[in-house]
């Protein structure tokens, strides 16, 4: 399974970016997906997740109300729309696939995800 994240870049505070993560897996619609981020010197942290159906999402408190996760199963892609960006959002963002099929929840810890994309850099200037 390959995950390819894109859409990162440099943006001013208050701006927006949309990250995309395309997978090579035809069973994409059977798995939840998540976005994590890692800032320099910090642990990788959960940002947002979406279940296999797209009907359930979960966000870290730090991004709630500003970020939106969505998925398009026909395009085997998961998105992260990031609005009202802040300098503290600066990090490498990673997409990941849930290790459980048809999970009835959105996992928020790294060990529940078994495939990871390569990461895309998001830099927010003040």
């Amino acid at each position: 399974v390959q995950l390819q994240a894109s859409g990162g870049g440099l943006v001013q505070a208050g701006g927006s970016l949309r990250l995309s993560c395309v997978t090579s897996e035809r069973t994409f619609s059977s798995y939840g997906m998540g976005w994590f981020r890692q800032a320099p010197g910090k642990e990788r942290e959960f940002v947002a997740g979406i279940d296999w159906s797209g009907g359930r999402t979960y966000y870290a408190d730090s991004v709630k109300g500003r970020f939106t996760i969505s998925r398009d199963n026909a395009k085997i892609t998961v998105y992260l729309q990031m609005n009202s960006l802040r300098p503290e959002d600066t990090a490498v963002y990673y997409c990941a696939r849930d290790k459980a099929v048809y999970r009835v929840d959105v996992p928020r810890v790294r060990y529940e995800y078994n495939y990871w994309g390569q990461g895309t850099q998001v830099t927010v200037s003040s």
Side-chain angles (χ1 to χ4, degrees), residues 51-65:
D51 76 347
W52 63 273
S53 71
R56 184 173 300 195
T57 58
Y58 194 89
Y59 299 92
D61 287 344
S62 58
V63 307
K64 201 172 296 183

Side-chain angles (χ1 to χ4, degrees), residues 18-19 21 28 32-36 46-51 54-60 63 65-72 77-82 94-96 106-107 113:
R18 188 176 82 155
L19 306 184
C21 176
F28 171 78
M33 298 292 293
W35 286 96
F36 287 72
F46 173 82
V47 175
I50 187 166
D51 76 347
R56 184 173 300 195
T57 58
Y58 194 89
Y59 299 92
V63 307
R66 301 187 297 122
F67 291 10
T68 302
I69 188 171
S70 61
R71 65 189 298 154
D72 185 334
T77 301
V78 62
Y79 303 98
L80 186 68
Q81 177 66 43
M82 306 186 295
Y94 299 89
C95 59
V106 177
Y113 294 85

Side-chain angles (χ1 to χ4, degrees), residues 6 19 31 43 57 72 86 99 106 110 121:
S6 62
L19 306 184
Y31 294 89
E43 294 287 319
T57 58
D72 185 334
R86 305 168 180 168
K99 67 181 181 184
V106 177
R110 291 179 59 182
Q121 176 70 47

